[in-house]
Amino acid sequence: MPQELIISISGLRGIVGENLNASIAAEYAAAFGTFLKRQNQRNEKLVVALGRDSRPSGEMLESAVAAGLASVGVDVVKLGIVPTPSVGIMTVKLGCAGGVVITASHNPIEYNGIKLLLDNGIAPPKDKSAEIKNIYLQKQFDYVASIDCGRMRCDDTADEVHIEKVLSIIDRQKIADRKIKVVLDSVNGAGGRPAKELLEQLGCSVVPINTEPTGIFAHTPEPIRENLGQLCDEVKKHAADIGFAQDPDADRLAIVDENGNYIGEEYTLALSAMQVLVSQKSDIAANLSTSRMVDDIAAEKGVKVIRTPVGEANVAEAMIEAGCVIGGEGNGGVIDMRIGPVRDSLVSIGLVLQLITDEDKTLGQLVGQIPAYYMHKEKFAADSAQAEKIIAAAKAEFADAKVNQSDGCRFDFADGWVHLRCSNTEPVMRMIAEFATSQAAEQYIGKVKKILGTIVG
Ligand code: MG
């Protein structure tokens, strides 16, 4: 039985040929176009920026999405194979009413998806995405007659625009003078071409691995430790200063140090924030599952950490509200508002290289400067009724903790925290625990598991 197509806040995701095909993509795009037209008070001709990652199914879905938008009278600017953050940047730059990215992010090749952005480059909030989903399910498409069909054009300037923005917030010559050697693993996704170009403009000597946008992923695409063995080996082999790994749509970045050690995705935001706070007095926004490292960095600079529910749009909205320059998520997704409101591997590459240069230290030395924590992540089956009971029992158990209930429940203790939350897409609950030591973490994990045993069995 093919799985049900997932339509969530950030768009739609499915398995191509099973529950995702051209007609679904065209209707979903027609629903988005219809929604945008309903929002359009001034009745002007609307334009949507459309980009995709490198998956082999991308071209087929791109044509379908473009047709769906044009069928309701919306013009389309095709950006081609570009990182997700580039679509956000171009949506704003070109004054588009919205953006669409065809990507399934870090999911394997058989998946693809359609991610929607509003005119500010951010995914629609809950109520608006529910409206789009409703138009799609009810098939209330506002199709137009021949003369009013949307027109299509191509724009190949996204790399240039995006790179120029990153270069504008870093010291290109200073980084170039340091002659940094970088191994870049783009998993044959959308990020290879612009990241290579950015690194070359920064005078780096680049060893590219998996940087062709074929969409034939050279390894399991999520940029986590177990998938980056090749990158770690190449860094050692070439005696490089640093290794960068992007996910297929290049919104996440993971880093390998000069000794070939994968340092963990949590450090991408921590290091980027360290760099930004040198010149910017800004609070940091981070989701509830992100490491306390950002709290330590913020405390040192006398700024606050604003904790948000998990999800890029939640972080971006909090950043706008509080005027944050820097924010993001612990999975390697860094948002720098000077570039745009989307998680962006290119900006974090620039910031980390600037940090190495300014501090005149190796990456390993910089990592050693940040207090380290032990983090444990786990998920278990639990429906929403069970999840509610688990959280209630955990609140009784951890009565002395500081509690944040904006997304599940996060319990903060003096020496660490535990976050329990439900997945948006499957009947599972996630537990993330971070403490100064693994022994301390185990104590709290044990208590949660005991609760779990009595409720789920
Ligand atoms: Mg991604």
Side-chain angles (χ1 to χ4, degrees):
M1 252 292 271
Q3 276 186 317
E4 205 192 326
L5 186 71
I6 296 167
I7 305 179
S8 71
I9 293 179
S10 55
L12 158 164
R13 193 171 289 184
I15 297 176
V16 176
E18 279 191 25
N19 54 18
L20 177 56
N21 56 39
S23 49
I24 288 171
E27 289 200 338
Y28 192 63
F32 184 45
T34 301
F35 162 83
L36 292 175
K37 283 166 70 180
R38 287 183 188 172
Q39 298 270 302
N40 176 20
Q41 307 284 353
R42 284 186 296 179
N43 227 0
E44 5 165 63
K45 185 80 176 163
L46 299 180
V47 186
V48 163
L50 172 61
R52 63 181 173 98
D53 75 18
S54 61
R55 275 163 227 267
S57 57
E59 205 170 7
M60 175 274 287
L61 291 172
E62 177 191 58
S63 300
V65 166
L69 288 165
S71 72
V72 294
V74 173
D75 288 352
V76 180
V77 182
K78 293 185 187 176
L79 306 173
I81 297 177
V82 291
T84 291
S86 306
V87 180
I89 290 166
M90 294 303 282
T91 297
V92 175
K93 178 170 192 280
L94 299 172
C96 295
V100 177
V101 196
I102 295 162
T103 177
S105 190
H106 60 276
N107 287 108
I109 190 168
E110 54 268 32
Y111 286 81
N112 214 331
I114 301 170
K115 185 174 168 157
L116 307 177
L117 306 173
L118 297 182
D119 58 355
N120 58 3
I122 304 178
K126 239 184 200 161
D127 55 331
K128 291 190 174 166
S129 64
E131 203 178 322
I132 298 161
K133 184 175 174 177
N134 199 41
I135 297 170
Y136 169 74
L137 293 174
Q138 307 291 323
K139 296 186 183 285
Q140 298 164 337
F141 313 121
D142 185 13
Y143 288 131
V144 297
S146 172
I147 190 132
D148 293 322
C149 279
R151 305 300 170 89
M152 300 184 199
R153 66 181 173 90
C154 294
D155 185 315
D156 62 2
T157 63
D159 283 9
E160 196 185 313
V161 171
H162 192 162
I163 289 169
E164 214 37 65
K165 272 187 163 275
V166 174
L167 292 175
S168 75
I169 62 159
I170 56 179
D171 186 339
R172 177 186 190 160
Q173 192 54 50
K174 195 171 172 193
I175 295 171
D177 289 343
R178 190 161 161 122
K179 302 200 182 316
I180 302 170
K181 189 169 192 180
V182 179
V183 184
L184 174 67
D185 180 354
S186 309
V187 70
N188 294 330
R193 185 195 57 233
K196 219 159 74 179
E197 175 66 29
L198 171 67
L199 290 166
E200 277 160 10
Q201 293 213 30
L202 290 171
C204 297
S205 131
V206 187
V207 180
I209 56 171
N210 314 318
T211 54
E212 290 304 312
T214 59
I216 308 297
F217 302 139
H219 51 75
T220 309
E222 189 165 24
I224 52 178
R225 185 185 303 275
E226 53 264 47
N227 301 330
L228 299 177
Q230 185 195 2
L231 176 61
C232 295
D233 291 344
E234 295 287 329
V235 167
K236 278 190 273 190
K237 191 171 122 194
H238 294 277
D241 299 297
I242 195 164
F244 289 125
Q246 298 170 294
D247 79 330
D249 66 322
D251 59 351
R252 284 167 63 180
L253 183 80
I255 308 173
V256 170
D257 76 10
E258 70 280 8
N259 301 310
N261 297 318
Y262 172 83
I263 63 169
E265 282 183 296
E266 294 287 338
Y267 279 95
T268 308
L269 176 58
L271 294 164
S272 300
M274 251 170 106
Q275 174 56 33
V276 169
L277 294 189
V278 170
S279 62
Q280 308 286 319
K281 179 92 178 165
S282 158
D283 290 337
I284 305 173
N287 77 28
L288 286 168
S289 290
T290 301
S291 170
R292 253 190 196 186
M293 288 190 285
V294 292
D295 296 84
D296 298 335
I297 289 162
E300 202 175 296
K301 295 285 178 191
V303 300
K304 287 198 310 274
V305 175
I306 297 161
R307 292 285 178 176
T308 77
V310 173
E312 175 179 51
N314 296 319
V315 180
E317 274 158 22
M319 289 177 74
I320 290 172
E321 206 183 301
C324 300
V325 176
I326 186 76
E329 304 195 278
N331 62 3
V334 172
I335 301 174
D336 186 315
M337 278 297 173
R338 294 170 295 176
I339 310 299
V342 183
R343 294 175 304 193
D344 182 5
S345 63
L346 297 187
V347 78
S348 34
I349 286 174
L351 292 171
V352 170
L353 294 178
Q354 184 78 60
L355 184 67
I356 293 177
T357 305
D358 288 351
E359 297 283 319
D360 196 20
K361 290 194 170 113
T362 67
L363 185 78
Q365 287 167 341
L366 285 167
V367 166
Q369 261 177 252
I370 303 172
Y373 293 97
Y374 170 84
M375 192 182 258
H376 175 88
K377 296 182 184 181
E378 195 172 329
K379 64 175 182 179
F380 37 82
D383 59 32
S384 56
Q386 288 168 326
E388 228 169 85
K389 284 187 195 161
I390 292 166
I391 286 178
K395 274 164 79 178
E397 174 71 39
F398 303 137
D400 55 335
K402 205 178 114 204
V403 164
N404 182 325
Q405 288 197 92
S406 60
D407 181 7
C409 196
R410 170 162 155 150
F411 303 93
D412 265 274
F413 311 93
D415 57 340
W417 54 273
V418 176
H419 185 203
L420 296 170
R421 65 179 289 268
C422 292
S423 162
N424 291 326
T425 50
E426 38 181 354
V428 302
M429 191 164 207
R430 293 180 200 282
M431 164 168 63
I432 303 102
E434 186 186 51
F435 286 83
T437 63
S438 63
Q439 291 88 333
E442 290 305 333
Q443 274 188 18
Y444 289 92
I445 293 164
K447 285 178 184 170
V448 174
K449 286 197 170 163
K450 210 165 149 192
I451 291 170
L452 201 67
T454 58
I455 292 166
V456 183

